[in-house]
């Protein structure tokens, strides 16, 4: 966080601090910091996740967020988010349950549904379901990159690090690797081209950044 803050002082960029919590079951929940209180809550959540679980396997249960969401903004997560994972398994009721719980914890103004495009064949169906859920719950939906590495060429390094984390080899890891190299940080122009059919959705990402 300190390195990020110092780096952006030399640019016109606005730093956004946050972390992605790994939930029980292995799904992921990104949280963005809005206030000092939110920073304190996030630090405590991370500490608890590390202290109360085996080394290298931090986990958070959604019930642990009770009373700790003030000053935090939640995204529903990318492909490995709890809502998307339920939809991928064809379990819409469970997706609705997760979303209801998140809305209760964070409130409508501090929660947004992530939608992404990585060129995978099933993404169009999942994106359509997520957008319908956003409309049903009265929530904002926003395009994200679900970024895992900075540049497209960094995919190999990411694959190697993933193998190290799972203590296996490239030949043996199988589908636990990302399916393509589209999980890199895109420029504003690239995102605008990718989401040219939803320019209003891109504008909502700026609203959340300002928030």
């Amino acid at each position: 966080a300190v390195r990020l803050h110092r780096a952006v002082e030399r640019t016109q960029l606005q730093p956004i601090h946050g972390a992605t919590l790994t939930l029980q079951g292995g799904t992921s929940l990104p949280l963005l910091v809005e206030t000092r209180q939110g920073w304190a809550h996030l630090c405590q959540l991370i500490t608890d996740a590390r202290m109360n679980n085996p080394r290298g396997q931090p986990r958070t249960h959604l019930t642990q967020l009770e009373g700790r969401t003030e000053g935090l903004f939640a995204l529903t997560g990318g492909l490995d988010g709890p809502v998307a994972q339920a939809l991928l398994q064809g379990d819409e009721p469970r997706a609705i349950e997760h979303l209801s719980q998140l809305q209760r914890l964070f409130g409508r103004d501090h929660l947004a549904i992530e939608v992404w495009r990585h060129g995978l064949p099933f993404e169009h169906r999942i994106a359509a379901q997520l957008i319908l859920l956003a409309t049903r719950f009265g929530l904002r939906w926003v395009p994200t990159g679900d970024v895992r590495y900075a540049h497209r060429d960094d995919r190999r390094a990411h694959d190697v690090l993933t193998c190290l984390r799972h203590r296996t080899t490239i030949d043996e890891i199988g589908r636990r690797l990302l399916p393509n190299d589209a999980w890199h940080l895109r420029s504003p122009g690239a995102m605008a081209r990718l989401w040219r059919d939803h320019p209003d959705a891109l504008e909502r990402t700026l609203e959340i950044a300002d928030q």
Side-chain angles (χ1 to χ4, degrees):
V2 174
R3 290 172 61 198
L4 171 63
H5 186 78
R6 289 175 175 169
V8 298
E9 284 180 339
R10 301 189 297 270
T11 73
Q12 298 298 313
L13 298 175
Q14 173 184 340
I16 299 176
H17 296 287
T20 297
L21 300 181
T22 302
L23 303 178
Q24 297 292 344
T27 58
S28 299
L29 181 70
L31 300 180
L32 309 179
V33 174
E34 294 182 325
T35 65
R36 286 181 181 271
Q37 182 64 66
W39 176 260
H41 284 321
L42 183 61
C43 289
Q44 190 61 60
L45 287 166
I46 292 171
T47 298
D48 289 350
R50 292 185 180 279
M51 294 292 291
N52 300 330
N53 293 279
R55 182 177 177 85
Q57 300 176 40
R59 292 290 186 273
T60 302
H61 195 279
L62 283 180
T63 56
Q64 294 175 274
L65 274 68
E66 296 282 357
R68 294 176 169 181
T69 60
E70 182 182 352
L72 291 172
F73 189 102
L75 297 166
T76 55
L79 188 61
D80 54 4
V83 179
Q85 277 295 304
L87 293 176
L88 281 168
Q89 294 167 20
D91 193 344
E92 186 171 330
R94 187 158 61 92
I96 292 172
E97 180 183 348
H98 286 314
L99 195 54
S100 298
Q101 193 169 6
L102 290 172
Q103 187 174 34
R104 182 181 60 79
L105 286 166
F106 291 92
R108 186 174 295 175
D109 295 331
H110 304 275
L111 173 66
I113 292 179
E114 286 191 54
V115 181
W116 61 94
R117 288 176 175 173
H118 298 117
L120 304 179
F122 57 82
E123 284 182 315
H124 181 75
R125 172 178 60 84
I126 298 298
Q129 289 178 283
L130 289 168
I131 292 171
L132 282 175
L133 285 177
T135 302
R136 177 173 174 179
F137 278 77
L139 294 170
R140 288 175 284 185
W141 68 269
V142 290
T144 70
D146 198 7
V147 173
R148 308 301 176 89
Y149 40 84
H151 307 287
R152 189 185 294 271
D153 292 343
D154 293 334
R155 181 197 176 178
R156 281 188 187 177
H158 184 273
D159 286 352
V160 170
L161 290 172
T162 301
C163 290
L164 287 171
R165 186 169 73 249
H166 290 285
R167 299 181 180 182
T168 186
T169 66
I170 290 284
D171 292 332
E172 296 173 346
I173 194 166
R175 294 188 177 183
R176 283 175 289 185
L177 294 180
L178 295 172
N180 58 31
D181 60 359
W183 309 71
H184 58 91
L185 190 64
R186 290 181 170 86
S187 68
M191 286 296 284
R193 290 189 294 273
L194 187 63
W195 291 93
R196 56 184 175 273
D197 52 333
H198 289 288
D200 55 324
L202 286 176
E203 291 176 7
R204 287 195 291 273
T205 66
L206 301 180
E207 293 174 7
I208 291 172
D210 289 339
Q211 186 172 333

